[in-house]
Amino acid sequence: MDIIAFSGAVALLFIVIGVSEPLSERLRLPFTVILAIMGALIGAVALTLATSGLGDTLSPTVRRLLDLPIRSNVFLYILLPTLLFQVALVVNARRMLDDWVPILVMAVAAVLVSTVVIGYALTPFTSLPLAACLLIGAVVSTTDPSAVVSIFRNIAAPQRLTRIVEGESLLNDAAAIALFGFFLTFVMLGVPNPTLQEAALTFPWLIGGGVLLGWVFARVATALMAVLPTFPRAQVSVSVALPYLTYIVAEQYLGASGVIAVVVAGLALNLSGPSRLTPASWGYLREVWDILAYWAGAFIFILAALLIPRLMGDLRPSDLFLIGVIVVAAFVARAVMLFGVLPVLGRLRLSPRVDPSYRAAILWGGLRGAVTLALALAVTESALVPPAVKREVGILATGFTLFTLLVQGTTLRWAIAKLGLDRLPALDQALSRQVIAVALQNVREAVSDSARDYRLTPDVIRSEAKRFAGRLDGAVAEAESVDIPDRDRITLGLVALAGRERDLIIEHFRQQLFSSRLVERMLSDVDGLIERTRLGGRNEYRSTARRALGYGGRYRLAVWLNNRLRWSGPLEVMTADRFELLLNQQLVLQQLHGFIAGKIRRIHGRRVGDLLHELLRRRAEETASAIEGLRLQYPGYAEEVERRFIRRTSLRLEEREYETLFADGLIGRELHATLRNRLDAARKQLDDRPRLDFALQREEFLRAFPVFDAMPPEARKRLSRALTTHYVDPGAVLIRKGEVARSVYFIASGAVEMERRGQKLRLGRGEFFGHLGMLTGQPRRAMVSAITHCTLFALDEARFRRLLARNTALQQAVEDSARARGANLEKVMSQTRPGDEL
């Protein structure tokens, strides 16, 4: 085909794509189903003209248009990487990590089960070898749940459920195509029955090599884009090259899975991109990829549908029976996962509880489409695949795809309506009446003001006011007829409050008040807050908010690395991140009280509003307490972070002033651009956050410690290097009765409780413990445990004795503590002499 005919064919396909979207909305059918039907019709016309001889009467240009060359490489090397990369780029990757168990089970495990069940179900009814039957199972195991995902979004299904289905759509294709390549190799090599040993030798590199390559290429691409901060189009160009190079290198040179490599590259860029690119550049990049993926998804469906008449040209009655076997086997395999495995995961709390109605919708919504047809085409094009296998794969895969599109796709909305998923829950229906009543009251006030301002005819105003009053009275009567329990009102109010918190985070990010480094994590935390509040109400809201303030598994791992291996790098970064997160959260929480007073109280009443104010105040106090603990622990660093926060705010206000002057015509475009560039350069300097150095922070802490106040700077610096840092969780036992003393602990932040002879004594910041048992040489008689998150500085016995011999303030503090606890240290104190330096 020459370039003119090819350009014309592509232009006509763009028109088909443009017409199909409004047509799908009009017919209330999934967009992919309409594309498949349109493509199949075009393919049927082209095949009819080609085989009937009518095509010879057409002009050469039209004949070339009908003979569009469609090869599997077009799908696998051009369209598929685009589609997979964009999905990996836009999913909430951090929230997906929270639900990695159900996502992997529904994607990877489900594909394995489906492939095996379909392969073994076909074996008794066909003469094909087992490897070929498993190949067919892998080809038809690629699902396209985009239709059910779009409907779930429209019916406000639980976000976590929608995210799991999206995660399945991303990893399902990767797993199925990896299996497809695995079994296709055995078919081409003539291995009829692949063994588990052969799979164990081949499959790990297929997956692991793809993961490694995708991660490495994404890191390189991100670093390259980061050095081009003022060239967003150049950054997009690098991102466009990333999936194609990753796919080609993986498939052609490493023998790994190109699909998995592209998915990993997209996820890696998703996680690191927002912190390395500016908000404007990252938003522009995602917008470009949205358009590319829309076109790629449409083309992959319509081009695959063009193949349907060609692939089904040799259909026999026996093939219909085999298609029926695949349909039944596929439904059985998917039902086993949805109704057998998924509930078990829910009982183990590894997955959210999914109602049977939603599981039924996911079962019926497992459509097959373009990827299945593309893989079938790849088999039919291979010269190494036996002709019998080519025929069966082409017909069975195409027939099964047609069944899912024309039967399941056209009845999916009807099935969802029958399951009752298109109706609002009773609580939301009751709430909607109250919202309408409040909204109409606001509208009446606004319309009255507008009518007076425009000086409309009084008779018209009175007539319309009377009509609107009747509507308002009816809405108020409906709202008052429904009684919503306070507990449900509180839950709904908290969900709305968390939603407003999310909006404020996005707003501050766009205004560049918040660093892009941590915005994704903040949004992820708020999404979790919304989901858990919907399920558990007020108690779940409070516990989830506290969990966001605290320390998760990654933090505990960083603490272990610091305490055991003396590797403080990860802990320094996470502590700095936590400080910045808490400051950002404190700003957002202060702005939420106005939302309660202005919106929530009018809908849910004064009692609920007052309770939400109280919950918000407690949360703000806990945040302020956590910030204060970090300030006390790292005073110098805290000052620097707060200074940078103020400077970032001042830059935003300065930018707003310049925009106002430009809009009023007081400054020209060139001057405005120059001023903006200066602000961008200043912001870039603020984005380079200062490093949190624990060694320097220990010295800052010692300077504020009363017993070290008079120490010379050099001695204080040596002491800071001698101290070791320990981070402990609440409840951790620091000293047990009967132990022999080996260290003295200084409290940098937090509080501990000492229990001795039935009495309890609390120690806080600036105090120390463990020295009495060490100096007396007797086993410890007290048990000390942490009552908050604590940071402790430890000093071993030899260094502590030398320090004690030279520091009179420390000697006095030791004597005071001994006197308060009834210990006699006169003999020990009299033996302390100046010794070597620390």
PDB file of all heavy atoms in Angstrom, residues 108 122 349 416 467 566 631 793:
ATOM      1  N   VAL A 108      -2.967 -12.226  37.952  1.00  0.00           N
ATOM      2  CA  VAL A 108      -2.012 -13.288  37.624  1.00  0.00           C
ATOM      3  C   VAL A 108      -2.591 -14.668  37.910  1.00  0.00           C
ATOM      4  O   VAL A 108      -2.607 -15.548  37.030  1.00  0.00           O
ATOM      5  CB  VAL A 108      -0.699 -13.070  38.402  1.00  0.00           C
ATOM      6  CG1 VAL A 108       0.299 -14.158  38.062  1.00  0.00           C
ATOM      7  CG2 VAL A 108      -0.115 -11.698  38.084  1.00  0.00           C
ATOM      8  N   LEU A 122     -10.543 -28.209  26.653  1.00  0.00           N
ATOM      9  CA  LEU A 122     -10.533 -28.436  25.202  1.00  0.00           C
ATOM     10  C   LEU A 122      -9.922 -29.787  24.821  1.00  0.00           C
ATOM     11  O   LEU A 122     -10.283 -30.371  23.792  1.00  0.00           O
ATOM     12  CB  LEU A 122      -9.745 -27.326  24.507  1.00  0.00           C
ATOM     13  CG  LEU A 122     -10.437 -25.978  24.328  1.00  0.00           C
ATOM     14  CD1 LEU A 122      -9.457 -24.965  23.767  1.00  0.00           C
ATOM     15  CD2 LEU A 122     -11.644 -26.106  23.405  1.00  0.00           C
ATOM     16  N   ARG A 349      -8.874 -10.642  55.530  1.00  0.00           N
ATOM     17  CA  ARG A 349      -8.613  -9.199  55.519  1.00  0.00           C
ATOM     18  C   ARG A 349      -7.471  -8.820  54.584  1.00  0.00           C
ATOM     19  O   ARG A 349      -6.764  -7.844  54.805  1.00  0.00           O
ATOM     20  CB  ARG A 349      -8.322  -8.686  56.936  1.00  0.00           C
ATOM     21  CG  ARG A 349      -9.504  -8.861  57.878  1.00  0.00           C
ATOM     22  CD  ARG A 349      -9.304  -8.105  59.150  1.00  0.00           C
ATOM     23  NE  ARG A 349     -10.506  -8.209  59.998  1.00  0.00           N
ATOM     24  CZ  ARG A 349     -10.647  -7.585  61.163  1.00  0.00           C
ATOM     25  NH1 ARG A 349      -9.671  -6.818  61.619  1.00  0.00           N
ATOM     26  NH2 ARG A 349     -11.750  -7.719  61.868  1.00  0.00           N
ATOM     27  N   ILE A 416     -26.489  -5.166  35.015  1.00  0.00           N
ATOM     28  CA  ILE A 416     -26.223  -4.325  36.175  1.00  0.00           C
ATOM     29  C   ILE A 416     -27.522  -3.759  36.741  1.00  0.00           C
ATOM     30  O   ILE A 416     -27.692  -3.641  37.958  1.00  0.00           O
ATOM     31  CB  ILE A 416     -25.232  -3.202  35.785  1.00  0.00           C
ATOM     32  CG1 ILE A 416     -23.833  -3.807  35.658  1.00  0.00           C
ATOM     33  CG2 ILE A 416     -25.231  -2.060  36.791  1.00  0.00           C
ATOM     34  CD1 ILE A 416     -22.754  -2.840  35.251  1.00  0.00           C
ATOM     35  N   ARG A 467     -43.937  30.192  42.001  1.00  0.00           N
ATOM     36  CA  ARG A 467     -43.722  28.863  41.417  1.00  0.00           C
ATOM     37  C   ARG A 467     -42.535  28.163  42.071  1.00  0.00           C
ATOM     38  O   ARG A 467     -42.590  26.982  42.415  1.00  0.00           O
ATOM     39  CB  ARG A 467     -43.478  29.018  39.913  1.00  0.00           C
ATOM     40  CG  ARG A 467     -43.370  27.668  39.163  1.00  0.00           C
ATOM     41  CD  ARG A 467     -42.957  27.892  37.730  1.00  0.00           C
ATOM     42  NE  ARG A 467     -41.590  28.367  37.662  1.00  0.00           N
ATOM     43  CZ  ARG A 467     -40.521  27.548  37.699  1.00  0.00           C
ATOM     44  NH1 ARG A 467     -40.685  26.248  37.830  1.00  0.00           N
ATOM     45  NH2 ARG A 467     -39.308  28.053  37.625  1.00  0.00           N
ATOM     46  N   ARG A 566      23.515   0.695  61.544  1.00  0.00           N
ATOM     47  CA  ARG A 566      24.023   2.058  61.554  1.00  0.00           C
ATOM     48  C   ARG A 566      23.919   2.720  60.172  1.00  0.00           C
ATOM     49  O   ARG A 566      24.719   3.580  59.811  1.00  0.00           O
ATOM     50  CB  ARG A 566      25.480   2.100  62.033  1.00  0.00           C
ATOM     51  CG  ARG A 566      25.668   1.598  63.449  1.00  0.00           C
ATOM     52  CD  ARG A 566      25.001   2.540  64.455  1.00  0.00           C
ATOM     53  NE  ARG A 566      25.220   2.108  65.825  1.00  0.00           N
ATOM     54  CZ  ARG A 566      24.341   1.389  66.527  1.00  0.00           C
ATOM     55  NH1 ARG A 566      23.192   1.033  65.968  1.00  0.00           N
ATOM     56  NH2 ARG A 566      24.602   1.031  67.764  1.00  0.00           N
ATOM     57  N   ARG A 631      10.075  19.111  66.100  1.00  0.00           N
ATOM     58  CA  ARG A 631      10.796  20.368  66.345  1.00  0.00           C
ATOM     59  C   ARG A 631      11.781  20.202  67.506  1.00  0.00           C
ATOM     60  O   ARG A 631      12.910  20.683  67.453  1.00  0.00           O
ATOM     61  CB  ARG A 631       9.796  21.482  66.671  1.00  0.00           C
ATOM     62  CG  ARG A 631       9.088  22.065  65.472  1.00  0.00           C
ATOM     63  CD  ARG A 631       8.497  23.412  65.826  1.00  0.00           C
ATOM     64  NE  ARG A 631       7.670  23.928  64.743  1.00  0.00           N
ATOM     65  CZ  ARG A 631       6.352  23.945  64.766  1.00  0.00           C
ATOM     66  NH1 ARG A 631       5.690  23.472  65.804  1.00  0.00           N
ATOM     67  NH2 ARG A 631       5.676  24.438  63.744  1.00  0.00           N
ATOM     68  N   PHE A 793      19.179   8.785  72.633  1.00  0.00           N
ATOM     69  CA  PHE A 793      20.605   8.776  72.343  1.00  0.00           C
ATOM     70  C   PHE A 793      21.296   7.944  73.424  1.00  0.00           C
ATOM     71  O   PHE A 793      21.121   8.196  74.620  1.00  0.00           O
ATOM     72  CB  PHE A 793      21.181  10.183  72.344  1.00  0.00           C
ATOM     73  CG  PHE A 793      20.648  11.045  71.238  1.00  0.00           C
ATOM     74  CD1 PHE A 793      20.398  12.391  71.441  1.00  0.00           C
ATOM     75  CD2 PHE A 793      20.387  10.512  69.992  1.00  0.00           C
ATOM     76  CE1 PHE A 793      19.909  13.187  70.427  1.00  0.00           C
ATOM     77  CE2 PHE A 793      19.898  11.294  68.965  1.00  0.00           C
ATOM     78  CZ  PHE A 793      19.652  12.631  69.178  1.00  0.00           C
TER      79      PHE A 793
END
